[in-house]
Amino acid sequence: FALSLLPVLAGVAAAVEYTRAIASRDGLQKALDAAVLLGAMKPPSERVAAATAAFHAGRKADDVLFDGVDFVTNPDGSFTGTAAARKVM
């Protein structure tokens, strides 16, 4: 019984960590989406600063190391953002 309990507990731990990672990713995506939408409503000269401020104000994950966030006004006039992060174990 004890030997079979160890793989079950390892599976449960992996499931919990996976769930937390997905939740962190979703939170990052929501913050990025909100920042891009806010930035797109601003004049082109204010977009990047407004979106960056909104992204940093909207992110809540304490267990994520942010590697960077980048916002760009594309040649066609659209506004996009990318973010990179790592999960802290």
Side-chain angles (χ1 to χ4, degrees):
F1 175 76
L3 290 176
S4 65
L5 187 59
L6 189 59
V8 170
L9 290 177
V12 169
V16 168
E17 281 301 312
Y18 179 76
T19 301
R20 290 182 66 205
I22 295 300
S24 294
R25 184 192 68 189
D26 289 348
L28 178 67
Q29 185 67 53
K30 286 178 184 179
L32 186 62
D33 289 346
V36 168
L37 288 172
L38 179 101
M41 292 188 287
K42 299 289 183 182
S45 62
E46 299 174 16
R47 286 180 177 175
V48 172
T52 302
F55 175 78
H56 289 296
R59 64 184 176 100
K60 299 176 183 170
D62 294 331
D63 57 347
V64 173
L65 293 175
F66 290 94
D67 295 327
V69 62
D70 187 39
F71 297 99
V72 177
T73 300
N74 299 306
D76 65 356
S78 63
F79 187 65
T80 58
T82 58
R86 291 176 281 145
K87 180 90 170 122
V88 178
M89 296 293 180

